[in-house]
Amino acid sequence: MPFSGTHAEGQLQALIGTAVDGIMSIDRHGIVDLYNPACERIFGWTPDEVIGRNVSMLMPPRYAHRHDGFIERYIDTGDARIIGIGREVEGLRKDGSEFPMDLSVGEFETGGDRRFVGIVRDLTERVAAERRLRELQAQLSHMGRVSAVAEMGTALAHELNQPLTAIALFLAASDKALESDPAKARSLFARAQQESQRAGDIVRRIRQMVERGDDERRDIELSELITGAAELCSVADVDGRTAIDISRAQSRIMIHADATQIRQVMVNLIRNAMDATAAQKNRTVRVRTRLREDMAEIDVEDNGPGIDPQVRPRLFSPFVTSKKDGLGIGLSICRTIAEAHGGSLELLDEPEPGALSGARFRLALPMS
């Protein structure tokens, strides 16, 4: 684009030339007539290689062939897909590599001709940092699941040992009865099979907790996650003194979430509630759900003594715990997971009619 050399135009030319963001201008046919130094740093092409050519050369092939049609449709109909809006798109460098960029497009007229100016910001470093952050969060989340299972290790081993011992006894007894009483032997075989299924269910629940994987969000039924978490926590309750009441968890509430991560949150909340009731004669943990606008709310409450006032302000901070052998990362990870899903996790202070006397946590998650 030519400049007359006036003071204002000189300032504009200096601004465009020193801008850290790429600035380019095209006519209604997509031909580039302005391409600043930042564009050269971003795309790798020199101004001489770009000016006078169609801007589609800076786009991946799957978008390039449709670009001119977008301009013509906008001029004919006024239907703006990106003009005046701005969005994250992909660009194409000279070496053929694609990269994420933020593109803002504006429109102006000069000499009766309609032109378009685009401002480009390379998002490669930001996207890489976000990806690394997600990876670190996933690693921390996995560490939290392993830690939770490790803390329940003795109880889980004890519970798993019971069906394995029963299988051995039933098989030994059925072997003795096989010739003298085949009907009894078949009955003993059936009971051994039931115990093997029980052992398999325990292993499956443990595996669901510690398995690693990508953040795979899908529509899932909330009650299934709550039931699975409650069953795993019940397995770890060796003396069986804790009543885990999930009767108020409504069925057919669908949420859009990663099942492994939300299961982790529920296991942490239920286990914490169980630990809080250790000194109570009748230990009770209750899980209930409700719908509020487009969110599903899950309350986990107990009849323990409540949260220590000194711990309460730092409750969701890493490495804060009231447990003797706890790492203090459970609630911190749980809140991170909830917020990454577009939800929240909080400790409720205000009493509610019918609530238990101890602590009450509320997990809110977006519905599908």
Side-chain angles (χ1 to χ4, degrees), residues 145 213-218 220 225 255-264 337 341:
R145 293 196 295 274
D214 296 330
D215 187 343
E216 297 179 356
R217 301 186 190 186
R218 55 185 176 84
I220 49 179
L225 293 180
I255 61 172
H256 189 72
D258 181 284
T260 300
Q261 293 183 357
I262 301 305
R263 186 183 297 110
Q264 174 185 359
I337 291 173
H341 279 75

Side-chain angles (χ1 to χ4, degrees), residues 81-103:
R81 299 296 178 89
I82 190 172
I83 296 171
I85 301 172
R87 66 176 56 172
E88 186 173 327
V89 298
E90 286 80 39
L92 182 68
R93 302 191 200 274
K94 184 177 181 179
D95 62 8
S97 62
E98 297 183 15
F99 68 98
M101 67 182 196
D102 182 79
L103 175 62

Side-chain angles (χ1 to χ4, degrees), residues 184-205:
K184 180 180 179 180
R186 283 194 295 271
S187 175
L188 292 170
F189 277 132
R191 295 189 64 181
Q193 185 178 27
Q194 292 175 354
E195 292 298 323
S196 69
Q197 291 175 345
R198 176 185 166 195
D201 287 341
I202 295 172
V203 173
R204 175 178 56 82
R205 294 190 191 106

Side-chain angles (χ1 to χ4, degrees), residues 23 77 82 124 139 143 173 207 209 256 260 282 313 337 359:
I23 301 175
T77 67
I82 190 172
T124 302
Q139 292 172 9
M143 185 177 72
R207 181 180 177 184
M209 272 292 291
H256 189 72
T260 300
N282 297 311
I337 291 173

Side-chain angles (χ1 to χ4, degrees), residues 28-42:
R28 61 174 296 164
H29 302 294
I31 303 303
V32 179
D33 53 18
L34 170 66
Y35 183 85
N36 75 340
C39 283
E40 183 175 355
R41 291 193 299 270
I42 293 172

Side-chain angles (χ1 to χ4, degrees), residues 24 26 29-35 39 42-68 90-99 101:
M24 67 181 72
I26 62 173
H29 302 294
I31 303 303
V32 179
D33 53 18
L34 170 66
Y35 183 85
C39 283
I42 293 172
F43 292 98
W45 297 95
T46 66
D48 291 340
E49 294 173 311
V50 177
I51 292 177
R53 297 180 61 185
N54 195 290
V55 72
S56 61
M57 67 180 290
L58 306 177
M59 305 174 187
R62 59 185 178 279
Y63 304 130
H65 71 279
R66 296 184 293 168
H67 180 261
D68 291 348
E90 286 80 39
L92 182 68
R93 302 191 200 274
K94 184 177 181 179
D95 62 8
S97 62
E98 297 183 15
F99 68 98
M101 67 182 196

Side-chain angles (χ1 to χ4, degrees), residues 1 25-29 33 75 107-116:
M1 180 185 296
S25 174
I26 62 173
D27 63 17
R28 61 174 296 164
H29 302 294
D33 53 18
I75 292 175
E107 180 185 9
F108 67 100
E109 282 193 19
T110 177
D113 292 331
R114 300 175 77 170
R115 296 194 179 292
F116 305 92

Side-chain angles (χ1 to χ4, degrees), residues 145 148-150 152-153 155-156 159 201-210 224-238 244 263-264 266-268 270-271 274:
R145 293 196 295 274
V149 172
M152 295 188 291
L156 292 172
E159 187 69 16
D201 287 341
I202 295 172
V203 173
R204 175 178 56 82
R205 294 190 191 106
I206 296 173
R207 181 180 177 184
Q208 287 176 337
M209 272 292 291
V210 301
E224 292 182 2
L225 293 180
I226 294 174
T227 300
E231 288 176 350
L232 182 59
C233 292
S234 295
V235 167
D237 186 22
V238 178
I244 304 177
R263 186 183 297 110
Q264 174 185 359
M266 293 306 306
V267 167
N268 269 278
I270 294 173
R271 281 187 56 249
M274 292 171 65

